[in-house]
Amino acid sequence: SQKIEQNSEALNIQEGKTATLTCNYTNYSPAYLQWYRQDPGRGPVFLLLIRENEKEKRKERLKVTFDTTLKQSLFHITASQPADSATYLCALALNSGYALNFGKGTSLLVTP
Amino acid sequence: GAGVSQSPRYKVAKRGQDVALRCDPISGHVSLFWYQQALGQGPEFLTYFQNEAQLDKSGLPSDRFFAERPEGSVSTLKIQRTQQEDSAVYLCASSPAGAAAEQYFGPGTRLTVT
């Protein structure tokens, strides 16, 4: 069956460091992968989309890599700030190509 | 407002009651999705509309769940004879069109069945 796995443990890092979150998947051949941020009591917010023919994508302090051989995406936040504390969700398209299958998310806590 | 809105934000229902959850997508967005999110889990797909057509309802957990989008805009998710296991946050999302499009989520409706 199709599975998406994200770091199960919460990630605690110090302000200013780089946070790296992992998303591994099995039984998928995704055309693209998305990352979302979710704060408590709110819906997910879209951050980045990376396509299968893109190795890396950047947006401000965010960087995503996509390795279709390893079946893995890495999500980096450089120069992390306490405001980056949230849950980060990895998502792949379901068979329909439209709806998304989400991982459980990784909770990130950035301390001053 | 420019975002996706959902109402009510919180709903408490007694077991066996019917509930209706509303979603107002971003104006002009063709695609609309419903997801269910249990505590500590990622959102799980329930159903997908393209305009007024329900193209995929494979994620609906039982025939007690029903969704509609009659005019291709506002959508309602209805749950009949609610059970305790239906307690979750129900998220609505919309997107402009097509696959590989980012989805814009509403704040969700937290349903508690007692």
Side-chain angles (χ1 to χ4, degrees), chain A residues 32 34 36 38 41-46 49 51 89 94 96-105, chain B residues 9 31 33 35 37 40-43 45 48 50 56 91 98-103 105-108:
Chain A
Y32 60 91
Q34 300 188 23
Y36 287 77
Q38 188 172 27
R42 295 177 179 265
V45 174
F46 171 78
L49 180 152
R51 298 181 188 277
L89 298 159
L94 287 170
S96 66
Y98 293 89
L100 295 173
N101 189 13
F102 285 87
K104 286 186 179 181
Chain B
R9 288 295 316 277
S31 298
F33 307 85
Y35 293 87
Q37 187 172 26
Q41 303 293 316
F45 169 71
Y48 159 60
Q50 192 171 87
D56 188 346
L91 293 163
E102 63 264 32
Q103 296 185 15
F105 282 81

Side-chain angles (χ1 to χ4, degrees), chain B residues 7-70:
Chain B
S7 61
R9 288 295 316 277
Y10 303 91
K11 177 71 179 176
V12 178
K14 289 192 191 307
R15 189 159 55 96
Q17 282 184 333
D18 297 348
V19 298
L21 312 180
R22 177 187 167 110
C23 172
D24 284 82
I26 293 173
S27 177
H29 277 193
V30 169
S31 298
L32 185 145
F33 307 85
W34 284 98
Y35 293 87
Q36 180 190 61
Q37 187 172 26
L39 194 63
Q41 303 293 316
E44 288 198 8
F45 169 71
L46 294 177
T47 187
Y48 159 60
F49 290 86
Q50 192 171 87
N51 296 308
E52 69 278 2
Q54 189 174 21
L55 297 187
D56 188 346
K57 54 181 181 179
S58 62
L60 296 176
S62 78
D63 59 7
R64 296 185 295 103
F65 286 70
F66 171 76
E68 60 183 5
R69 193 187 185 196

